[in-house]
Amino acid sequence: MPELPEVETIRRGLEKRIVGKTIADIDVRFPKTFVGSKSKVEGSKIKSVERRAKVLAVKLNNGGNLLFHLKMTGQLIYIDRNDKRFAGGHPDHNWHAKLPNSTTAVIFNFNDGTHLFFNDMRKFGWCKVLTDEQLNKIFTDEYGPEPFDKNFTVEYLMQRAAKIPNRKIKQFLTDQTIIAGIGNIYADELLFDARISPLRKVSEMNKSEWKKVIASTIKILNLAIKHGGTTDSDFVNADGEKGGMQDYLKVYRKSGSNCPGDCGGKVIRITVGGRGTHYCPVCQQ
DNA sequence: CTATCTGTTCTGAC
DNA sequence: TGTCAGAACAGATA
């Protein structure tokens, strides 16, 4: 489920809460969700929580790492000794309910009596135990530049686009090997912001349009991070503090409504690369 | 009831 | 090699 802004929001929340803690033991409820040996993790201390693309890496003081991908329905829920919770990921009501529940895949028990629950209804998500070397290789080989990285340039995008000229821009932008962290929601939103049709072939983009794509990507992702991501996918305590980006979405899941750009058109929904895609065919060309 | 949707990504067929 | 359907799975929605 979560894209870059949501994963970043979860990262920041977890960082504040679990860095410095020692993992006493791990309870694996869904074996397919936990890949690797838990004995390589138990007893080690958490050094940092990092993000690359849509994955979270928990770095340990013994040279090991826990790499998480929440996919569509994963949740991470931290619970302190007073049952105060911080949760991120797929929004549903069992955040506030008793844990573990039927969707709980893995439980990390810390030696101070606090816990981290990894829930996943559809079981697409995973947590892998990796060495530093394995982690670095995945981060280097499997993902393109982060949108906030200096290597995310017009020259880079044009060079990648030249090899796949017929690819539609929406599919291009959501390809993690090209750019890290953009998913369905933010691809639609940034293309609206740039006023470019999701159906445009990358070979038919000019330099100033690529510039607009970069500017809109950074603008939209920053806005989403500022608001804590889309949906009520994150909260810090029982009182709320939920993600608020859903109030700022302009086209995603808005089919039928008037174009927010006041061009007189209406937002429609089509399918691009098998994904629901929302845009205004009048002002996005 | 059926059909179709869902924020992800990987695999295998053509 | 590029493109597409389908799979992994469990719901919610119309």
Side-chain angles (χ1 to χ4, degrees):
Chain A
M1 165 254 167
E3 304 180 37
L4 188 152
E6 290 77 31
V7 178
E8 179 61 22
T9 302
I10 298 169
R11 188 197 71 75
R12 293 177 183 186
L14 283 181
E15 182 178 55
K16 278 194 277 186
R17 293 169 175 82
I18 68 171
V19 168
K21 299 201 176 195
T22 298
I23 299 172
D25 62 83
I26 301 173
D27 181 359
V28 177
R29 304 290 184 101
F30 299 160
K32 74 163 278 210
T33 304
F34 191 84
V35 182
S37 163
K38 61 182 188 173
S39 64
K40 288 184 180 158
V41 180
E42 288 168 335
S44 64
K45 197 167 162 182
I46 294 173
K47 268 201 313 194
S48 64
V49 182
E50 295 174 16
R51 181 195 58 74
R52 175 94 166 90
K54 303 172 189 170
V55 297
L56 275 179
V58 173
K59 300 194 75 76
L60 307 170
N61 70 343
N62 66 352
N65 300 271
L66 290 166
L67 187 65
F68 292 87
H69 199 312
L70 301 182
K71 295 290 181 93
M72 297 189 48
T73 56
Q75 308 172 306
L76 284 171
I77 306 175
Y78 170 82
I79 303 191
D80 75 10
R81 280 165 303 208
N82 300 316
D83 199 35
K84 287 278 185 220
R85 301 182 179 199
F86 168 81
H90 182 66
D92 70 13
H93 301 298
N94 62 31
W95 278 347
H96 301 281
K98 191 171 175 293
L99 289 171
N101 62 35
S102 63
T103 71
T104 301
V106 186
I107 307 167
F108 300 88
N109 297 307
F110 300 113
N111 67 347
D112 63 354
T114 61
H115 311 274
L116 181 66
F117 289 83
F118 182 12
N119 292 344
D120 191 3
M121 186 176 70
R122 288 170 73 172
K123 302 185 180 117
F124 292 176
W126 41 252
C127 171
K128 293 177 182 171
V129 181
L130 300 170
T131 63
D132 283 339
E133 279 178 3
Q134 290 169 322
L135 185 75
N136 292 338
K137 185 164 165 47
I138 289 170
F139 279 4
T140 310
D141 294 355
E142 298 184 13
Y143 297 104
E146 291 285 321
F148 302 117
D149 193 276
K150 62 176 178 359
N151 296 323
F152 181 49
T153 63
V154 169
E155 291 68 32
Y156 167 76
L157 292 176
M158 292 181 80
Q159 171 223 320
R160 293 295 299 259
K163 292 177 193 156
I164 40 173
N166 292 322
R167 190 70 54 91
K168 298 179 181 82
I169 183 67
K170 162 133 184 194
Q171 293 169 281
F172 182 87
L173 293 172
T174 52
D175 184 334
Q176 300 303 297
T177 69
I178 297 175
I179 307 158
I182 298 174
N184 211 32
I185 296 178
Y186 297 114
D188 284 5
E189 291 296 317
L190 81 88
L191 284 170
F192 174 74
D193 191 72
R195 297 296 194 278
I196 292 168
S197 165
L199 296 169
R200 180 86 70 84
K201 286 184 178 185
V202 293
S203 61
E204 292 162 4
M205 299 265 296
N206 65 36
K207 206 166 179 177
S208 84
E209 287 172 328
W210 282 118
K211 269 190 190 168
K212 265 200 273 182
V213 164
I214 290 179
S216 295
T217 299
I218 291 170
K219 172 182 158 190
I220 295 291
L221 293 180
N222 266 328
L223 183 68
I225 290 171
K226 185 177 149 198
H227 291 291
T230 295
T231 76
D232 31 4
S233 63
D234 305 277
F235 69 86
V236 184
N237 55 47
D239 301 326
E241 193 166 333
K242 296 178 173 181
M245 183 62 190
Q246 61 276 12
D247 298 335
Y248 298 86
L249 298 180
K250 295 194 167 165
V251 291
Y252 183 76
R253 284 192 164 171
K254 304 277 188 207
S255 38
S257 59
N258 292 328
C259 173
D262 284 333
C263 71
K266 280 197 189 310
V267 177
I268 61 167
R269 182 185 185 280
I270 59 172
T271 299
V272 179
R275 314 302 308 280
T277 297
H278 315 74
Y279 81 115
C280 172
V282 177
C283 64
Q284 287 177 261
Q285 293 291 325

